[in-house]
Amino acid sequence: MEEPDPPLSFDYLGSDLTELILTHLPLPSIVRAASVCKLWRSIVTTPSFSARVCAKPWFFLFGQNNIFLKNNQAFAFDPESDSWIRLPAHLFPPLYSSSSSFIGSNGFFFTTSANFTFTPILKPRAWRDTSPLRFPRCNPLVGVYTDASSRSPRFIVVGGVKFIGGLVDIEDRLAVEIYNPSFNAWELCPPLPADFRSGNSSQWLSSALFKGKFYVFGIYSCFVSAFDLNKRFWSSVQTLRPPGVLFSYLLSCQDRLILAGLCNAPPRGPSFELWKVDEETMEFSEVAIMPQELLHCLFDSDEDDKFASLKCVGLGDLIYVFNEAHYRKYPACVCEIASDSGKCSWRRVPSLPEPVNRFHKVISFCSTVSLENVVCPAVVDELRLEQVLY
C-alpha cells in the first residue's frame, strides 16, 4: 500500500502567489500574517506589497478622561474585517487638561496645545514639534492636503479658540495658518468669515476637503464657506439647511460632497438623512435615509435633547454615525456608498471591546491607514497588535 503524499505547504506556492493571496486580507489579518513566519513577514513589509493593498479608511475613537489619564482609551474600527482594535495608550501623547486638543486627519495624528505636533498614524516614535503657531489655539479644524506644485503634504489649521488668562476669548477670529513640513514654516491666511464668530471651534464646526477647497460648515448654524487652497481666499457665506434639520455635518465622500444630518419633522418624525451637495450652487438632493431600526439602536427616546450626543464622520465611501453618550457605550452604524451606482448600504458597527471607561471628551475621526506603518517590523513588535485585535 502506497504512502499518501504529504500535504503541501505554503512554501510550494512561491512568494509571488503568496503575496497575491495576502493582498486580499483585511489589515488586521495581514498584521497577524506578519507574525506567522519570516517569509510572510518579509512579504508584507515590502513597499511593493503596501502599494498593492487598498484599505478602506478606519474609524478612530479616542476617549479622554480629564481626571485620570490612565483611563484614556483609543479604538480603531476596520470596516473590512468588521472589527475593533484596541490601540495601546503609548500611541498617543498625554493630554493633561480639557484644553488640550488631539485631532486625526488623513493619515496623521495632531496635538494643538500647548505645542503643535504631528505624526503619521500608528507611528508612536515619530511625533514631531513644528515651529510655533502664530496664534496658539484649542479645538481648531485641521486638514491635510497635497500641494499641487511640490506634491508634498500641507496642514491647514482653521478656527479654534484662544485662551487669555485661562479664559476663552470668543471675540478673536484667529487667522488661518498653513504649515509646510519641508520648511517647518507657517503661512498666515485670512481668518474664518465673521459669520462663524459665535462658534468657531471644532465643537461647533465640521470640515471637508473637496476639489482643492477646505469647506467649513456650522453644525447648528448651517453656515458654509470654502477656503480656496490655491488662491487663499474664502467664498461668500451661504446657508445649507434642509427642511426639518436639527444639526448636520458636511463630509467629503469619494467624488461627492455629502451633508449628513438629523431631522425631526412631521409626519416622518426623527430620521437621519444624507444629501448630495452641488459645490457650485450649494443645492442639495436627498440620497439616503438611515433605517429606523438602526436609528433606534442609537437612542432610547424621541426627545430632541437626546439627539445632541449624535456625531458623524466620514471619508472615502464610508459614513459613520455614533452616539457619544457613555451610558449607551458609544453605539455606531456605518453607511457605505457604492462607487459605481451611489447606492447606500447601512449596517450596525459591533460593540466596542470591553472594558470601556468613562470619558469626559470623545474625539472621533476617519482616516486612511498606511499599511507600511501598520505592519513594518518595528511597529508590529512594539504594539503587539496580534495580541490586542478583537
Side-chain angles (χ1 to χ4, degrees):
M1 183 175 180
E2 295 183 2
E3 292 290 332
D5 293 332
L8 296 179
S9 69
F10 264 88
D11 294 338
Y12 285 87
L13 296 179
S15 59
D16 290 342
L17 185 54
T18 301
E19 178 177 339
L20 178 62
I21 294 172
L22 292 175
T23 59
H24 291 279
L25 297 177
L27 285 185
S29 297
I30 293 175
V31 173
R32 288 192 182 102
S35 301
V36 170
C37 63
K38 291 182 178 179
L39 173 62
W40 289 12
R41 187 180 183 121
S42 66
I43 289 175
V44 302
T45 55
T46 59
S48 61
F49 183 85
S50 298
R52 297 180 65 177
V53 176
C54 298
K56 293 181 181 296
W58 285 11
F59 172 44
F60 289 83
L61 192 151
F62 178 78
Q64 179 180 348
N65 188 297
N66 297 334
I67 301 175
F68 302 106
L69 293 180
K70 66 179 182 180
N71 287 342
N72 290 353
Q73 288 181 301
F75 306 90
F77 178 75
D78 171 38
E80 293 181 293
S81 64
D82 198 38
S83 62
W84 285 99
I85 302 168
R86 187 192 300 277
L87 298 176
H90 66 268
L91 268 176
F92 307 92
L95 302 177
Y96 296 106
S97 70
S98 59
S99 63
S100 299
S101 297
F102 173 74
I103 302 166
S105 179
N106 201 19
F108 289 87
F109 290 153
F110 301 93
T111 65
T112 63
S113 56
N115 300 321
F116 192 96
T117 65
F118 68 94
T119 184
I121 279 181
L122 301 182
K123 283 282 191 177
R125 295 180 177 176
W127 282 99
R128 173 180 165 186
D129 288 333
T130 70
S131 57
L133 283 161
R134 181 73 63 86
F135 301 101
R137 60 193 81 194
C138 177
N139 293 330
L141 300 172
V142 178
V144 181
Y145 70 97
T146 301
D147 180 70
S149 58
S150 64
R151 307 304 301 170
S152 60
R154 297 285 191 274
F155 307 149
I156 179 171
V157 180
V158 177
V161 294
K162 184 171 65 174
F163 285 85
I164 299 178
L167 299 177
V168 174
D169 179 11
I170 63 174
E171 296 298 323
D172 192 2
R173 291 192 299 131
L174 301 178
V176 169
E177 300 191 52
I178 296 179
Y179 180 71
N180 184 338
S182 300
F183 298 100
N184 190 27
W186 291 95
E187 173 190 353
L188 287 180
C189 300
L192 269 172
D195 306 66
F196 295 96
R197 183 187 300 271
S198 61
N200 57 4
S201 76
S202 58
Q203 295 175 306
W204 305 97
L205 302 174
S206 69
S207 62
L209 189 63
F210 187 72
K211 293 185 178 180
K213 296 180 179 179
F214 190 77
Y215 286 81
V216 174
F217 179 77
I219 296 171
Y220 298 96
S221 69
C222 295
F223 292 152
V224 62
S225 181
F227 182 79
D228 191 304
L229 296 169
N230 293 319
K231 299 178 180 179
R232 303 293 203 257
F233 72 88
W234 288 97
S235 67
S236 59
V237 177
Q238 300 183 59
T239 301
L240 185 59
R241 187 191 298 273
V245 72
L246 298 177
F247 55 85
S248 50
Y249 297 81
L250 193 63
L251 311 168
S252 176
C253 296
Q254 296 178 344
D255 60 345
R256 303 175 177 91
L257 199 58
I258 295 290
L259 186 68
L262 187 79
C263 296
N264 193 9
R268 181 181 292 171
S271 62
F272 193 89
E273 305 184 24
L274 305 180
W275 299 268
K276 180 180 178 181
V277 180
D278 186 308
E279 69 270 19
E280 298 295 334
T281 65
M282 286 292 112
E283 295 180 351
F284 52 86
S285 57
E286 184 181 284
V287 295
I289 301 176
M290 181 190 296
Q292 283 296 308
E293 60 269 21
L294 285 182
L295 186 62
H296 292 158
C297 291
L298 302 179
F299 299 102
D300 54 8
S301 77
D302 289 341
E303 298 175 15
D304 285 357
D305 60 348
K306 297 292 184 182
F307 298 140
S309 57
L310 190 72
K311 305 297 179 185
C312 181
V313 295
L315 186 66
D317 56 0
L318 299 172
I319 296 175
Y320 292 91
V321 186
F322 78 103
N323 188 337
E324 68 173 3
H326 173 264
Y327 68 93
R328 296 303 309 273
K329 295 295 180 69
Y330 316 107
C333 63
V334 58
C335 176
E336 184 168 0
I337 305 176
S339 57
D340 50 355
S341 64
K343 181 180 178 180
C344 295
S345 301
W346 298 83
R347 71 178 189 271
R348 188 172 182 178
V349 172
S351 300
L352 286 171
E354 296 286 352
V356 180
N357 297 332
R358 184 179 182 87
F359 308 129
H360 298 96
K361 182 179 181 181
V362 176
I363 299 101
S364 60
F365 52 89
C366 283
S367 181
T368 54
V369 177
S370 168
L371 178 62
E372 182 180 0
N373 290 354
V374 175
V375 302
C376 71
V379 172
V380 172
D381 289 342
E382 182 173 341
L383 303 185
R384 302 183 185 278
L385 282 175
E386 69 275 11
Q387 298 181 13
V388 296
L389 290 168
Y390 288 79

